[in-house]
Amino acid sequence: MKYLYYYPEKCTGCRQCAMACSLNKFGECNPKRSAISIVRDEFERYEFAIFCMQCEDAPCMDVCHSGSYYVEDNIIKHDDNKCILCRLCAAVCPHSAITTMGKDLVKCDLCDGDPKCVKYCSTEALVYEEETKEQASRRRELAKKILSTS
Amino acid sequence: MYDRKMAIVDLSKGKVKEYTIPKKWQRGFLGGRGINSYLLYNLIEKGIDPFSPKNVLVLGVGPLGGTLAPSSSRFNASGLSPETGILGDSNCGGFFGPELRFAGFDHLVLRGKSKKPSYVNVQDGEIEIRDAKDYWGLDTYEVQISLRKDLGDVESVVTGVAGENKVRMACLRTGVKNAAGRCGMGALMGSKNVKAVVASGVNGVKVEHPQRMLELMEEIKDYLMGSKITPILGSQGTPLLYEVSNALGAIRTKNSQLNVWSDSLNAEELEQHVEKMISCSSCFTHCRHRNKFDGEGPEYTAVGLLGANLGLDHYPDIIKLNNTCNELGLDVSSAGSVLGWAFELYERGIIDKKMTGQEIGFGDFELANDLLHKISRREGFGDILAESSQAAKKFGPKSKDYLIAVKNLPQSDPHDIRYIKAFGLGIATASRGADHLRSRPTIEIFFRLPQEVKEQIYGKGATTDPTVYDGKAQAVHFSDNIFATIDSLGLCKFICHGFNSPHYLKYEHFSKLLYAVTGSEFKEKELENIGKRIIDTERLFNFKHGVTAKDDTLPKRYFDDPMKQGVSKGHRIERKGFDKMKKEYYKLRKWDEKGRVKPQRKKHIESHGGLP
């Protein structure tokens, strides 16, 4: 199964991921109306991406009264037509990854296996990868780092 | 073409008037710098003092600003410059420009003067002038942190302590280090009793052809990332230019008395002091350093002008001076140039201790840092230095021989242009004074680039030799035009064809991006013509405010003193060669022999109409 992975140390805070997401979903560039949010503060010196982690035991699905959430190809998806916009899912999401704005609720659906956010990331801070492959490469990088510094 | 809004905020009357930006302006000037310059030409009367309430401060974003378009973070801040008395215009990155669009406005004009310290809040289509008594007196970091604490996730463009004190080289700041740095726009904001313009908005920028934009941007991303310079800029930032320049023997050192400086300021030496490279909004390049001294930067300008130009060679000192300028709200380029000038004047006995109050000279970090603070508060000798090039009135006429400035604007580029003739013509004719970001024909110093590649960019007759005078007018003309266009689109010129690389964005890319975002077709030639129209508008503005052809010149030292060291030893700008370049440049611009825009052209520009 492929997931979205994020490496904050590689993220430069440019928000192209969020620009692309909002453009794809809503036809506008709006980093606040996106399924991926870059939280950043140049004075506190950080940037961090927040997006749906596709939890196996997903609190959003558990609390939804209107049956708006469903799983397709292992991806948690949201049906706008069934949604009553109570925003409870957004409130309970442990990653604060569900965005609501006016009459829209935005949650990452991995763009049907072709996530736009990844396409416009210039530093590979965001990758869409098989979990075993991602783990292997992450561990290899870690091993190299530890061995070269020891 | 779609509806874009602007507003005039009358600070004296406390009133705000909104306008739809006329289609004719959008077609003729795009936005950003272009519409800003046209507004200045229309709104600023002849003969006013830059600190008069009659002056205006315009903030403007381009039609691609705040979109997926690459490096679409830029906005321009413009007005009659307190530093030079002519066109003041400064381009700035960060996150404010996009946020201003999200808040509903592309251009804001601040006119008049607020009775008490104020800030302008722009939120979701509403504009309000608010009390800033709690923010007055804060440095540029403190005020932005306080505004976020009080108002939430906002982006602000602010003036620092220097701007409040009307220091003529005070900049506007947004974020830690992004600056509308040049021409004293911070002093202009301060003179209006305004501490900040704050933006926040939940609406995005509507894109006319979203899928087309997504596809186009995949291509453009590959194109930009494929350039050799992109990863270097992304790891070293602009300080990479220091070594290039120093190897040529073309680094301004100790107020251009020397032209070679220490290898200790090479970009690789900087890396140990950098925590991470970060971006402005929508940027693939990420050329900005988050340094380990609680700040951001330095850029090449800081390395050159706060380093070599002040006789300093220890990177931590330079980073600290850079951070000091950022906090106080001082333009690094002018501050470094003015300090270097004062140090040489003191060495030569043109000014003395009676005026300075203490021994001053090159190679003293503590002194430089102290003087930056004094400048920002106009304390003691700092009060004189705060006048920037206009300090010559106090220093005496002889001091002008050692001032590295054009049209009263201290030179920004740390390059000593005596070796690189096209750079010389560029700073002599640039519409805001001695500044490289108007027309820097960078490819001039790429020696190994074949003639045909140079000709593809600059046109037939371009040369590979930076030291000759032939073929230089066309290189400057090309760069001037395309930079005016990109400044008006809202994109960063770092990704502009001919600036850092022969492979970056050309008019054809601008045209495609504009179509995807706005749905309007702009042919490549038309976009080039917009650049030319903007240059002519700025020329008209400057001539209205007293500029003549004799002001298109260079510092005396560049003509009269040969360079002393390195590869460039013996080089200077010969007046005859310079005059030839200038004449050719005027011809390309279709200006008359006195450098004036012709009456027919003036009529054409004015035909775009006044305020709706």
Side-chain angles (χ1 to χ4, degrees):
Chain A
M1 175 66 190
K2 275 185 162 185
Y3 292 106
L4 206 54
Y5 291 93
Y6 173 67
Y7 300 91
E9 72 279 11
K10 290 184 187 174
C11 177
T12 66
C14 75
R15 310 190 295 195
Q16 284 293 63
C17 50
M19 293 287 185
C21 178
S22 55
L23 183 57
N24 184 49
K25 293 199 182 306
F26 299 104
E28 66 171 26
C29 289
N30 185 353
K32 297 186 188 81
R33 201 181 186 201
S34 160
I36 182 164
S37 304
I38 297 297
V39 185
R40 45 170 289 282
D41 190 315
E42 58 272 66
F43 299 101
E44 297 280 335
R45 298 162 71 88
Y46 68 80
E47 35 283 314
F48 190 78
I50 288 179
F51 53 88
C52 172
M53 308 302 285
Q54 307 294 341
C55 306
E56 282 300 320
D57 185 7
C60 55
M61 294 195 81
D62 291 346
V63 299
C64 183
H65 300 292
S66 60
S68 307
Y69 284 96
Y70 62 101
V71 177
E72 192 178 272
D73 300 332
N74 285 323
I75 300 169
I76 300 170
K77 295 190 172 177
H78 179 259
D79 184 345
D80 292 342
N81 296 322
K82 288 187 182 170
C83 180
I84 58 168
L85 265 180
C86 69
R87 301 173 196 85
L88 191 56
C89 55
V92 300
C93 173
H95 301 285
S96 213
I98 296 169
T99 300
T100 61
M101 185 181 281
K103 291 187 174 161
D104 294 316
L105 185 145
V106 199
K107 193 201 81 73
C108 176
D109 57 7
L110 295 171
C111 298
D112 292 324
D114 182 27
K116 299 291 179 286
C117 51
V118 174
K119 277 195 172 157
Y120 303 91
C121 178
S122 62
T123 60
E124 296 181 335
L126 278 172
V127 292
Y128 182 58
E129 191 54 278
E130 289 288 346
E131 58 185 321
T132 46
K133 276 192 190 167
E134 192 279 337
Q135 278 165 24
S137 68
R138 178 155 36 94
R139 285 169 180 159
R140 186 167 294 109
E141 286 303 311
L142 181 69
K144 281 197 268 184
K145 197 174 164 189
I146 290 170
L147 293 171
S148 68
T149 54
S150 61
Chain B
M1 205 63 75
Y2 55 3
D3 279 353
R4 289 160 52 201
K5 279 201 309 191
M6 60 173 272
I8 296 186
V9 181
D10 191 321
L11 299 158
S12 302
K13 293 179 184 157
K15 284 188 178 154
V16 178
K17 196 168 177 194
E18 289 179 21
Y19 302 85
T20 298
I21 299 171
K23 299 280 186 283
K24 212 167 177 182
W25 293 13
Q26 296 187 44
R27 203 76 222 177
F29 300 96
L30 294 169
R33 171 178 160 191
I35 289 185
N36 278 15
S37 289
Y38 189 64
L39 277 163
L40 296 191
Y41 180 64
N42 277 284
L43 295 175
I44 300 179
E45 293 166 31
K46 192 176 172 174
I48 64 160
D49 185 291
F51 287 140
S52 148
K54 288 184 175 171
N55 197 359
V56 296
L57 173 63
V58 188
L59 305 178
V61 197
L64 300 180
T67 70
L68 186 65
S71 308
S72 56
S73 66
R74 314 295 294 190
F75 71 96
N76 275 60
S78 321
L80 185 67
S81 164
E83 193 170 15
T84 65
I86 62 164
L87 178 79
D89 177 65
S90 199
N91 184 268
C92 179
F95 293 81
F96 175 81
E99 200 65 33
L100 186 62
R101 294 200 90 192
F102 302 154
F105 294 89
D106 282 16
H107 291 264
L108 279 188
V109 179
L110 307 189
R111 75 186 328 172
K113 182 180 175 179
S114 179
K115 287 181 190 67
K116 54 183 184 180
S118 303
Y119 73 96
V120 176
N121 190 56
V122 188
Q123 185 183 356
D124 295 319
E126 302 286 328
I127 298 176
E128 206 183 328
I129 304 164
R130 294 181 175 174
D131 194 334
K133 70 172 184 300
D134 293 342
Y135 307 116
W136 204 257
L138 300 183
D139 72 30
T140 66
Y141 293 12
E142 292 165 342
V143 62
Q144 292 182 77
I145 292 166
S146 300
L147 284 163
R148 280 202 183 144
K149 200 173 149 206
D150 297 341
L151 304 171
D153 277 344
V154 296
E155 300 295 339
S156 312
V157 58
V158 306
T159 191
V161 174
E164 290 179 15
N165 291 318
K166 292 189 259 188
V167 171
R168 291 187 191 271
M169 54 184 142
C171 66
L172 292 173
R173 179 88 53 214
T174 177
V176 175
K177 121 168 211 308
N178 311 295
R182 306 245 63 202
C183 308
M185 294 298 102
L188 177 51
M189 185 183 272
S191 77
K192 298 197 166 299
N193 245 336
V194 171
K195 182 66 180 173
V197 176
V198 183
S200 61
V202 297
N203 290 314
V205 176
K206 287 265 180 290
V207 171
E208 201 60 35
H209 301 294
Q211 289 310 315
R212 196 177 177 125
M213 182 73 177
L214 285 162
E215 285 160 21
L216 175 63
M217 278 306 298
E218 271 193 73
E219 283 170 33
I220 286 181
K221 184 191 162 202
D222 287 347
Y223 177 66
L224 292 173
M225 300 303 285
S227 167
K228 280 184 210 153
I229 195 81
T230 305
I232 304 173
L233 271 172
S235 60
Q236 300 190 335
T238 54
L240 79 96
L241 291 166
Y242 176 83
E243 194 174 348
V244 179
S245 192
N246 205 25
L248 281 178
I251 193 87
R252 288 164 62 195
T253 303
K254 298 188 177 179
N255 201 42
S256 302
Q257 296 179 87
L258 301 172
N259 52 282
V260 172
W261 192 242
S262 170
D263 288 341
S264 63
L265 299 185
N266 289 351
E268 62 190 33
E269 303 294 331
L270 173 61
E271 280 173 28
Q272 60 186 307
H273 306 297
V274 177
E275 189 179 296
K276 190 181 183 184
M277 297 302 285
I278 50 174
S279 290
C280 295
S281 187
S282 298
C283 179
F284 297 132
T285 312
H286 51 82
C287 70
R288 189 149 37 106
H289 309 78
R290 176 172 283 155
N291 66 51
K292 291 180 179 168
F293 296 87
D294 279 333
E296 291 177 11
E299 297 286 342
Y300 167 54
T301 43
V303 178
L305 298 175
L306 300 174
N309 203 45
L310 302 186
L312 295 169
D313 58 7
H314 183 49
Y315 243 127
D317 289 346
I318 290 151
I319 297 169
K320 285 177 198 165
L321 291 179
N322 161 80
N323 291 354
T324 298
C325 286
N326 289 348
E327 287 169 41
L328 297 172
L330 285 169
D331 173 28
V332 162
S333 303
S334 285
S337 296
V338 168
L339 285 180
W341 177 42
F343 294 164
E344 185 183 352
L345 295 179
Y346 189 85
E347 274 183 357
R348 289 182 178 274
I350 295 171
I351 58 174
D352 59 22
K353 217 170 165 178
K354 229 189 298 173
M355 181 183 281
T356 63
Q358 62 185 324
E359 295 265 334
I360 61 167
F362 295 101
D364 186 341
F365 160 72
E366 294 296 341
L367 169 76
N369 200 44
D370 183 50
L371 284 173
L372 291 173
H373 281 275
K374 283 186 170 142
I375 289 170
S376 76
R377 292 182 169 77
R378 284 188 172 270
E379 280 171 18
F381 184 48
D383 190 31
I384 296 174
L385 295 174
E387 291 295 291
S388 185
S389 49
Q390 295 180 43
K393 288 175 199 159
K394 289 270 168 58
F395 293 161
K398 206 160 186 291
S399 70
K400 287 187 182 170
D401 293 349
Y402 305 97
L403 173 63
I404 306 299
V406 178
K407 300 184 180 81
N408 272 332
L409 189 73
Q411 189 190 335
S412 53
D413 195 338
H415 278 345
D416 188 320
I417 57 84
R418 282 174 280 191
Y419 187 65
I420 323 156
K421 313 306 180 196
F423 280 44
L425 178 66
I427 66 166
T429 54
S431 61
R432 62 178 177 184
D435 196 278
H436 63 297
L437 291 167
R438 300 311 249 201
S439 61
R440 191 177 198 266
T442 306
I443 308 300
E444 273 293 297
I445 51 172
F446 292 6
F447 295 105
R448 272 174 257 152
L449 215 59
Q451 174 95 12
E452 58 268 26
V453 178
K454 285 200 175 182
E455 288 197 336
Q456 269 168 26
I457 301 169
Y458 297 142
K460 210 163 164 43
T463 62
T464 49
D465 183 354
T467 68
V468 300
Y469 298 90
D470 290 332
K472 298 308 154 82
Q474 67 192 62
V476 173
H477 180 251
F478 166 86
S479 307
D480 239 347
N481 293 338
I482 197 165
F483 294 174
T485 304
I486 200 166
D487 281 346
S488 306
L489 288 168
L491 306 187
C492 179
K493 61 174 68 69
F494 266 40
I495 52 160
C496 186
H497 181 55
F499 188 68
N500 282 321
S501 160
H503 300 294
Y504 279 172
L505 300 194
K506 304 173 183 176
Y507 290 115
E508 62 174 275
H509 298 104
F510 302 161
S511 174
K512 287 178 185 170
L513 285 164
L514 269 170
Y515 180 72
V517 173
T518 68
S520 297
E521 288 193 34
F522 283 85
K523 296 207 164 61
E524 292 170 39
K525 197 74 201 159
E526 193 181 353
L527 288 165
E528 189 186 3
N529 284 336
I530 289 172
K532 289 180 184 172
R533 189 177 296 121
I534 294 164
I535 302 287
D536 286 346
T537 305
E538 292 175 349
R539 187 74 172 177
L540 284 169
F541 179 85
N542 278 340
F543 270 57
K544 184 172 161 185
H545 294 278
V547 168
T548 63
K550 73 171 174 36
D551 297 305
D552 295 334
T553 187
L554 291 168
K556 184 176 181 295
R557 172 160 277 160
Y558 286 169
F559 288 121
D560 295 346
D561 297 356
M563 295 167 96
K564 289 180 183 151
Q565 301 160 283
V567 181
S568 54
K569 190 173 175 181
H571 280 275
R572 63 185 179 87
I573 302 282
E574 290 158 26
R575 285 180 196 271
K576 212 173 139 194
F578 176 78
D579 288 343
K580 181 175 174 288
M581 291 194 295
K582 190 167 129 178
K583 209 172 158 187
E584 284 170 8
Y585 179 79
Y586 284 3
K587 208 172 161 194
L588 286 168
R589 287 255 159 259
K590 300 191 172 71
W591 295 343
D592 70 12
E593 74 289 352
K594 288 187 173 167
R596 293 174 299 200
V597 175
K598 290 180 183 163
Q600 197 60 26
R601 180 69 167 165
K602 183 171 182 254
K603 221 168 143 184
H604 159 74
I605 285 163
E606 289 173 351
S607 75
H608 290 82
L611 277 176

mmCIF file of all heavy atoms in Angstrom, chain B residues 545-568:
data_model
loop_
_atom_site.group_PDB
_atom_site.id
_atom_site.type_symbol
_atom_site.label_atom_id
_atom_site.label_comp_id
_atom_site.label_asym_id
_atom_site.label_seq_id
_atom_site.Cartn_x
_atom_site.Cartn_y
_atom_site.Cartn_z
ATOM 1 N N HIS B 545 10.518 64.559 -12.160
ATOM 2 C CA HIS B 545 11.086 64.888 -10.848
ATOM 3 C C HIS B 545 12.560 65.285 -10.937
ATOM 4 O O HIS B 545 13.320 65.106 -9.983
ATOM 5 C CB HIS B 545 10.847 63.728 -9.877
ATOM 6 C CG HIS B 545 9.389 63.542 -9.584
ATOM 7 N ND1 HIS B 545 8.704 64.289 -8.650
ATOM 8 C CD2 HIS B 545 8.455 62.757 -10.168
ATOM 9 C CE1 HIS B 545 7.429 63.959 -8.654
ATOM 10 N NE2 HIS B 545 7.241 63.022 -9.566
ATOM 11 N N GLY B 546 12.951 65.791 -12.088
ATOM 12 C CA GLY B 546 14.236 66.482 -12.192
ATOM 13 C C GLY B 546 15.406 65.722 -12.775
ATOM 14 O O GLY B 546 16.515 66.277 -12.891
ATOM 15 N N VAL B 547 15.217 64.471 -13.149
ATOM 16 C CA VAL B 547 16.335 63.717 -13.737
ATOM 17 C C VAL B 547 16.585 64.216 -15.156
ATOM 18 O O VAL B 547 15.651 64.566 -15.878
ATOM 19 C CB VAL B 547 16.014 62.206 -13.752
ATOM 20 C CG1 VAL B 547 17.001 61.421 -14.594
ATOM 21 C CG2 VAL B 547 15.990 61.652 -12.331
ATOM 22 N N THR B 548 17.859 64.259 -15.553
ATOM 23 C CA THR B 548 18.196 64.526 -16.958
ATOM 24 C C THR B 548 19.246 63.510 -17.399
ATOM 25 O O THR B 548 19.743 62.723 -16.573
ATOM 26 C CB THR B 548 18.776 65.949 -17.153
ATOM 27 O OG1 THR B 548 20.003 66.023 -16.419
ATOM 28 C CG2 THR B 548 17.815 67.027 -16.685
ATOM 29 N N ALA B 549 19.604 63.562 -18.662
ATOM 30 C CA ALA B 549 20.573 62.595 -19.214
ATOM 31 C C ALA B 549 21.904 62.632 -18.463
ATOM 32 O O ALA B 549 22.580 61.611 -18.355
ATOM 33 C CB ALA B 549 20.796 62.880 -20.690
ATOM 34 N N LYS B 550 22.274 63.785 -17.937
ATOM 35 C CA LYS B 550 23.573 63.840 -17.247
ATOM 36 C C LYS B 550 23.571 63.005 -15.959
ATOM 37 O O LYS B 550 24.622 62.650 -15.433
ATOM 38 C CB LYS B 550 24.015 65.285 -16.993
ATOM 39 C CG LYS B 550 23.266 66.011 -15.910
ATOM 40 C CD LYS B 550 23.936 67.341 -15.610
ATOM 41 C CE LYS B 550 23.141 68.185 -14.623
ATOM 42 N NZ LYS B 550 22.438 67.511 -13.546
ATOM 43 N N ASP B 551 22.396 62.674 -15.472
ATOM 44 C CA ASP B 551 22.321 61.813 -14.278
ATOM 45 C C ASP B 551 22.546 60.333 -14.607
ATOM 46 O O ASP B 551 22.744 59.522 -13.712
ATOM 47 C CB ASP B 551 20.960 61.974 -13.590
ATOM 48 C CG ASP B 551 20.748 63.395 -13.093
ATOM 49 O OD1 ASP B 551 21.607 63.878 -12.335
ATOM 50 O OD2 ASP B 551 19.757 64.029 -13.497
ATOM 51 N N ASP B 552 22.477 59.994 -15.902
ATOM 52 C CA ASP B 552 22.782 58.617 -16.310
ATOM 53 C C ASP B 552 24.298 58.475 -16.371
ATOM 54 O O ASP B 552 24.908 58.476 -17.453
ATOM 55 C CB ASP B 552 22.184 58.303 -17.687
ATOM 56 C CG ASP B 552 20.668 58.324 -17.686
ATOM 57 O OD1 ASP B 552 20.081 58.079 -16.614
ATOM 58 O OD2 ASP B 552 20.081 58.577 -18.749
ATOM 59 N N THR B 553 24.897 58.411 -15.222
ATOM 60 C CA THR B 553 26.355 58.388 -15.158
ATOM 61 C C THR B 553 26.808 57.425 -14.065
ATOM 62 O O THR B 553 25.986 56.680 -13.518
ATOM 63 C CB THR B 553 26.887 59.821 -14.930
ATOM 64 O OG1 THR B 553 28.300 59.800 -15.038
ATOM 65 C CG2 THR B 553 26.473 60.386 -13.578
ATOM 66 N N LEU B 554 28.089 57.445 -13.779
ATOM 67 C CA LEU B 554 28.640 56.506 -12.792
ATOM 68 C C LEU B 554 29.443 57.261 -11.743
ATOM 69 O O LEU B 554 29.844 58.407 -11.967
ATOM 70 C CB LEU B 554 29.552 55.492 -13.498
ATOM 71 C CG LEU B 554 28.851 54.481 -14.409
ATOM 72 C CD1 LEU B 554 29.866 53.726 -15.261
ATOM 73 C CD2 LEU B 554 28.019 53.494 -13.584
ATOM 74 N N PRO B 555 29.710 56.617 -10.611
ATOM 75 C CA PRO B 555 30.565 57.263 -9.612
ATOM 76 C C PRO B 555 31.916 57.655 -10.233
ATOM 77 O O PRO B 555 32.442 56.929 -11.084
ATOM 78 C CB PRO B 555 30.757 56.171 -8.560
ATOM 79 C CG PRO B 555 29.580 55.267 -8.726
ATOM 80 C CD PRO B 555 29.242 55.300 -10.176
ATOM 81 N N LYS B 556 32.428 58.786 -9.801
ATOM 82 C CA LYS B 556 33.681 59.320 -10.359
ATOM 83 C C LYS B 556 34.793 58.269 -10.339
ATOM 84 O O LYS B 556 35.551 58.120 -11.289
ATOM 85 C CB LYS B 556 34.084 60.551 -9.538
ATOM 86 C CG LYS B 556 35.299 61.266 -10.050
ATOM 87 C CD LYS B 556 35.562 62.528 -9.243
ATOM 88 C CE LYS B 556 36.781 63.290 -9.751
ATOM 89 N NZ LYS B 556 38.041 62.562 -9.596
ATOM 90 N N ARG B 557 34.846 57.540 -9.234
ATOM 91 C CA ARG B 557 35.921 56.546 -9.074
ATOM 92 C C ARG B 557 35.911 55.505 -10.200
ATOM 93 O O ARG B 557 36.962 55.048 -10.627
ATOM 94 C CB ARG B 557 35.740 55.868 -7.707
ATOM 95 C CG ARG B 557 36.641 54.704 -7.468
ATOM 96 C CD ARG B 557 36.776 54.373 -6.004
ATOM 97 N NE ARG B 557 37.771 55.220 -5.371
ATOM 98 C CZ ARG B 557 37.839 55.425 -4.062
ATOM 99 N NH1 ARG B 557 36.946 54.872 -3.250
ATOM 100 N NH2 ARG B 557 38.772 56.176 -3.556
ATOM 101 N N TYR B 558 34.741 55.150 -10.664
ATOM 102 C CA TYR B 558 34.654 54.127 -11.717
ATOM 103 C C TYR B 558 35.246 54.625 -13.041
ATOM 104 O O TYR B 558 35.711 53.840 -13.846
ATOM 105 C CB TYR B 558 33.205 53.683 -11.921
ATOM 106 C CG TYR B 558 32.656 52.795 -10.809
ATOM 107 C CD1 TYR B 558 31.298 52.509 -10.753
ATOM 108 C CD2 TYR B 558 33.481 52.231 -9.842
ATOM 109 C CE1 TYR B 558 30.769 51.685 -9.755
ATOM 110 C CE2 TYR B 558 32.970 51.425 -8.838
ATOM 111 C CZ TYR B 558 31.619 51.157 -8.793
ATOM 112 O OH TYR B 558 31.113 50.343 -7.813
ATOM 113 N N PHE B 559 35.188 55.940 -13.238
ATOM 114 C CA PHE B 559 35.790 56.508 -14.456
ATOM 115 C C PHE B 559 37.289 56.763 -14.270
ATOM 116 O O PHE B 559 38.081 56.518 -15.165
ATOM 117 C CB PHE B 559 35.142 57.865 -14.795
ATOM 118 C CG PHE B 559 33.736 57.777 -15.327
ATOM 119 C CD1 PHE B 559 32.691 58.421 -14.674
ATOM 120 C CD2 PHE B 559 33.456 57.083 -16.508
ATOM 121 C CE1 PHE B 559 31.392 58.370 -15.176
ATOM 122 C CE2 PHE B 559 32.162 57.023 -17.018
ATOM 123 C CZ PHE B 559 31.128 57.668 -16.344
ATOM 124 N N ASP B 560 37.655 57.265 -13.107
ATOM 125 C CA ASP B 560 38.994 57.843 -12.967
ATOM 126 C C ASP B 560 40.039 56.963 -12.297
ATOM 127 O O ASP B 560 41.239 57.160 -12.520
ATOM 128 C CB ASP B 560 38.901 59.171 -12.183
ATOM 129 C CG ASP B 560 38.115 60.221 -12.936
ATOM 130 O OD1 ASP B 560 37.873 60.005 -14.158
ATOM 131 O OD2 ASP B 560 37.719 61.237 -12.336
ATOM 132 N N ASP B 561 39.607 56.023 -11.466
ATOM 133 C CA ASP B 561 40.603 55.211 -10.742
ATOM 134 C C ASP B 561 40.657 53.795 -11.314
ATOM 135 O O ASP B 561 39.696 53.050 -11.196
ATOM 136 C CB ASP B 561 40.228 55.093 -9.252
ATOM 137 C CG ASP B 561 40.223 56.425 -8.540
ATOM 138 O OD1 ASP B 561 40.595 57.424 -9.190
ATOM 139 O OD2 ASP B 561 39.848 56.465 -7.352
ATOM 140 N N PRO B 562 41.788 53.404 -11.899
ATOM 141 C CA PRO B 562 41.895 52.023 -12.382
ATOM 142 C C PRO B 562 41.859 51.044 -11.207
ATOM 143 O O PRO B 562 42.310 51.375 -10.098
ATOM 144 C CB PRO B 562 43.254 51.981 -13.070
ATOM 145 C CG PRO B 562 43.675 53.400 -13.233
ATOM 146 C CD PRO B 562 42.998 54.189 -12.145
ATOM 147 N N MET B 563 41.319 49.854 -11.458
ATOM 148 C CA MET B 563 41.273 48.826 -10.410
ATOM 149 C C MET B 563 42.701 48.408 -10.088
ATOM 150 O O MET B 563 43.578 48.401 -10.953
ATOM 151 C CB MET B 563 40.434 47.638 -10.890
ATOM 152 C CG MET B 563 38.976 48.023 -11.091
ATOM 153 S SD MET B 563 38.043 46.788 -12.006
ATOM 154 C CE MET B 563 37.308 45.862 -10.664
ATOM 155 N N LYS B 564 42.907 48.032 -8.827
ATOM 156 C CA LYS B 564 44.292 47.849 -8.377
ATOM 157 C C LYS B 564 44.768 46.407 -8.341
ATOM 158 O O LYS B 564 45.959 46.148 -8.265
ATOM 159 C CB LYS B 564 44.434 48.446 -6.973
ATOM 160 C CG LYS B 564 44.369 49.957 -6.988
ATOM 161 C CD LYS B 564 44.522 50.526 -5.588
ATOM 162 C CE LYS B 564 44.369 52.038 -5.627
ATOM 163 N NZ LYS B 564 43.842 52.572 -4.385
ATOM 164 N N GLN B 565 43.837 45.444 -8.306
ATOM 165 C CA GLN B 565 44.272 44.070 -8.032
ATOM 166 C C GLN B 565 43.692 43.051 -9.006
ATOM 167 O O GLN B 565 42.698 43.308 -9.663
ATOM 168 C CB GLN B 565 43.798 43.660 -6.626
ATOM 169 C CG GLN B 565 44.293 44.532 -5.502
ATOM 170 C CD GLN B 565 43.414 44.361 -4.262
ATOM 171 O OE1 GLN B 565 42.315 44.895 -4.214
ATOM 172 N NE2 GLN B 565 43.895 43.610 -3.288
ATOM 173 N N GLY B 566 44.307 41.897 -9.005
ATOM 174 C CA GLY B 566 43.760 40.709 -9.651
ATOM 175 C C GLY B 566 43.617 40.802 -11.163
ATOM 176 O O GLY B 566 44.260 41.627 -11.825
ATOM 177 N N VAL B 567 42.750 39.924 -11.678
ATOM 178 C CA VAL B 567 42.524 39.814 -13.125
ATOM 179 C C VAL B 567 42.128 41.159 -13.728
ATOM 180 O O VAL B 567 42.474 41.487 -14.853
ATOM 181 C CB VAL B 567 41.364 38.804 -13.392
ATOM 182 C CG1 VAL B 567 41.110 38.630 -14.886
ATOM 183 C CG2 VAL B 567 41.638 37.471 -12.732
ATOM 184 N N SER B 568 41.385 41.921 -12.949
ATOM 185 C CA SER B 568 40.830 43.156 -13.489
ATOM 186 C C SER B 568 41.743 44.367 -13.308
ATOM 187 O O SER B 568 41.350 45.498 -13.625
ATOM 188 C CB SER B 568 39.484 43.428 -12.816
ATOM 189 O OG SER B 568 39.656 43.409 -11.423
#
